[in-house]
């Protein structure tokens, strides 16, 4: 597709279960970002991939959160042993290059509800 | 510490009533400043990127400007369809990640 694609668009899971969220960036984009947005809040940085460089994981809130990017394209954000406070929209973004800044485009997000 | 602050938090305008949104930032090195529009239940929609002080960009009723300390998003003669949350973000030169402000929620009444 032409834009950043995220799946699932909505996910309801039970507390304690693991979830995987997927992001398909725009074709050819080397930079990929994950953000979290809780209800009525701003965007919280989680992790940033740029090409083959080591990812910037400084925003991951706990060791229950991890992300990988396979083949420099698709990324998966995994949340283990989900907690109710993990309920949020998880947004993925991509851009064509890290330096200088390319336009950074966002997907529509994956809405996660932990019950 | 890198920081982005947007004001006001909320803004109500009558249709046609022009105004400005503010984004103040403190960063160790600015690679770019981004403005996004976000509608309820949607991902942020890209509007502008500004790279250096003095730069201005326009799109329809929106105009973004940048100084060394802040950016303004000017809305001229807004329409109800301009109602949304406007997000400002800075990309730092040493990390590459975007740091977002809390947003300004704009409501334009007919």
């Amino acid at each position: 597709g032409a834009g950043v694609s995220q799946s699932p668009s909505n996910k309801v899971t039970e507390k304690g279960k693991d979830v995987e969220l997927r992001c398909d960036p725009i074709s050819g984009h080397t930079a990929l970002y994950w953000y979290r947005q809780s209800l009525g809040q701003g965007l919280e940085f989680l992790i940033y991939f740029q090409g083959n460089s080591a990812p910037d994981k400084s925003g991951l809130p706990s060791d229950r959160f991890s992300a990988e990017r396979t083949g420099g394209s698709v990324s998966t954000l995994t949340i283990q042993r989900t907690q109710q406070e993990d309920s949020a929209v998880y947004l993925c973004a991509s851009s064509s290059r890290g330096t200088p800044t390319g336009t950074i485009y966002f997907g529509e997000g994956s809405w996660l509800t932990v019950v | 510490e890198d920081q982005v602050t947007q004001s006001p938090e909320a803004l109500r305008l009558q249709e046609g009533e022009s105004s400005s949104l503010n984004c103040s930032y403190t960063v160790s090195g600015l690679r770019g400043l981004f403005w996004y529009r976000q509608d309820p239940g949607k991902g942020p929609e890209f509007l502008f990127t500004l790279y250096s002080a003095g730069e201005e960009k326009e799109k329809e009723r929106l105009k973004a400007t940048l100084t060394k300390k802040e950016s303004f998003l000017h809305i001229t003669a807004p329409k109800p369809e301009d109602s949304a949350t406007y997000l400002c973000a800075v990309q730092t030169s040493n990390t590459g990640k975007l740091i977002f402000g809390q947003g300004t929620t704009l409501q334009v009444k007919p």
Side-chain angles (χ1 to χ4, degrees), chain A:
Chain A
V4 178
S5 179
Q6 293 188 244
S7 61
S9 54
N10 285 283
K11 175 74 175 178
V12 179
T13 190
E14 293 181 350
K15 179 181 173 181
K17 299 282 189 181
D18 297 352
V19 296
E20 287 188 349
L21 308 176
R22 176 187 168 104
C23 173
D24 271 291
I26 294 171
S27 179
H29 279 194
T30 59
L32 187 146
Y33 308 78
W34 282 99
Y35 283 81
R36 176 170 72 175
Q37 188 174 32
S38 301
L39 191 63
Q41 301 298 309
L43 275 73
E44 174 190 3
F45 168 77
L46 296 177
I47 189 168
Y48 164 49
F49 297 88
Q50 172 52 47
N52 295 321
S53 302
D56 178 350
K57 303 180 181 180
S58 60
L60 294 178
S62 76
D63 59 7
R64 296 187 296 105
F65 288 72
S66 63
E68 62 177 19
R69 189 176 185 193
T70 54
S73 181
V74 171
S75 178
T76 302
L77 177 69
T78 301
I79 309 172
Q80 296 179 310
R81 305 181 302 281
T82 52
Q83 303 296 312
Q84 289 186 328
E85 60 263 28
D86 299 334
S87 297
V89 179
Y90 290 82
L91 291 159
C92 177
S94 71
S95 78
S96 59
R97 57 186 185 273
T99 304
T101 298
T103 300
I104 300 174
Y105 297 97
F106 279 83
E108 295 294 350
S110 290
W111 292 70
L112 175 66
T113 304
V114 182
V115 297

Side-chain angles (χ1 to χ4, degrees), chain B residues 27-81:
Chain B
V27 293
S28 52
L30 179 69
R31 184 182 290 179
L33 185 142
F34 293 74
W35 282 99
Y36 289 88
R37 169 190 170 130
Q38 187 174 30
D39 292 298
K42 300 288 188 179
E45 175 189 349
F46 172 78
L47 294 174
F48 304 107
T49 309
L50 302 169
Y51 296 101
S52 57
E55 189 174 0
E56 299 182 351
K57 288 191 177 176
E58 289 188 62
K59 180 181 179 180
E60 296 180 355
R61 295 177 292 283
L62 300 177
K63 178 180 177 180
T65 62
L66 181 65
T67 73
K68 289 186 178 180
K69 295 183 179 180
E70 58 191 350
S71 176
F72 290 93
L73 184 65
H74 306 278
I75 304 177
T76 302
K79 298 182 178 182
E81 53 262 41

Side-chain angles (χ1 to χ4, degrees), chain B residues 1-4 25-28 92 99:
Chain B
E1 181 183 355
D2 298 329
Q3 196 167 7
V4 179
Y25 62 92
T26 305
V27 293
S28 52
T92 62
I99 301 169

Side-chain angles (χ1 to χ4, degrees), chain B residues 4-6 22-25 33-36 71 86-90 99-103:
Chain B
V4 179
T5 303
Q6 291 187 247
N22 177 262
C23 173
S24 299
Y25 62 92
L33 185 142
F34 293 74
W35 282 99
Y36 289 88
S71 176
Y86 290 85
L87 300 170
C88 170
V90 296
I99 301 169
F100 279 85
Q102 290 298 105

